[in-house]
Amino acid sequence: MEIVLGVRGYGLHGAGNFLFTQDSPGVLDRNERLDHFGSHLGGGDFDGDGRAELLVGVWSEDDGKTIDTGAMHLFPGGGSGPVLARDVMVTQEERERDDRFGGPFASGDLNGDGALDLAVSAPEEDLFGFVNAGEVQVVFGVPGAGLGLDRSFELHQAGEGAEPRIHDREEFGDALAIGDFDGDGRDDLAVGVRLDVVDSVVDAGAVQVFYGFSAK
């Protein structure tokens, strides 16, 4: 991954830019064929220290013999940029072949507690016998402490609050966006399902919106 050269005075410049990979010192794991390190990128100040963490998706990461299960790296921000030596590698608790966890992700304050939360998709997750149905994992932030990796839950099209329309190969979570869509002061989550079957029309596509709630 490389920081792109820009024009000084217009937001980006080349001074101090650097390139790193999974083989760079401090980065967990290593370069492997077809990992696609950097397939998705994001950022946010999850721990409230005034510096944004960098999120790097590796959606074709292998875990041992489990192919393309996917993963995500979280690099804390530092005085001169992302701190590679403090890398945190995030994976699903139940890792399966071809889930592609670490695909699209988005951040925002979904529960109104002042801390950023993170939504991460596994668009090719198999669920309830449906192949590549897709799933989104929501990880809540802890004010002043960062992401609480043990404070998460899963969204899918067979779950509470979702339309009961799960089918094979719909890839729920293929795209994500977070914003305060209803103006209530709490962020909401929009989930793209580009291959959704709508009224028997295959691959018609759909978007589901899940509204934020108060943590109080």
Side-chain angles (χ1 to χ4, degrees), residues 43-207:
D45 184 6
F46 296 100
D47 57 8
D49 67 353
R51 296 185 292 266
E53 287 77 66
L54 174 64
L55 305 172
V56 180
V58 199
W59 84 328
S60 298
E61 179 73 55
D62 297 343
D63 180 21
K65 295 182 179 179
T66 308
I67 298 172
D68 293 347
T69 184
M72 183 185 70
H73 292 262
L74 187 153
F75 299 99
S80 58
V83 183
L84 304 188
R86 294 174 58 198
D87 180 16
V88 176
M89 195 167 182
V90 182
T91 61
Q92 285 180 300
E93 184 175 349
E94 296 183 8
R95 294 178 284 278
E96 301 170 322
R97 178 179 179 133
D98 294 332
D99 279 352
R100 298 194 187 278
F101 175 79
F105 38 77
S107 60
D109 186 3
L110 296 170
N111 58 3
D113 66 354
L116 283 182
D117 310 306
L118 176 67
V120 188
S121 74
E124 296 186 14
E125 176 84 35
D126 296 345
L127 292 169
F128 311 113
F130 293 96
V131 177
N132 293 358
E135 179 180 85
V136 174
Q137 183 169 351
V138 178
V139 183
F140 289 108
V142 179
L147 290 173
L149 298 179
D150 58 344
R151 300 177 60 203
S152 66
F153 70 95
E154 290 77 37
L155 288 174
H156 47 74
Q157 288 193 303
E160 182 178 355
E163 292 291 331
R165 54 193 305 156
I166 191 167
H167 298 92
D168 287 329
R169 298 179 178 84
E170 290 189 317
E171 298 189 9
F172 176 83
D174 181 73
L176 299 174
I178 289 180
D180 184 5
F181 303 124
D182 58 359
D184 67 352
R186 293 182 295 272
D187 285 331
D188 313 302
L189 172 64
V191 181
V193 200
R194 67 183 178 91
L195 302 179
D196 195 62
V197 178
V198 181
D199 297 328
S200 300
V201 180
V202 177
D203 297 351
V207 174

Side-chain angles (χ1 to χ4, degrees), residues 3-9 11-17:
I3 306 300
V4 181
L5 296 177
V7 180
R8 186 179 293 274
L12 297 174
H13 60 83
N17 79 91

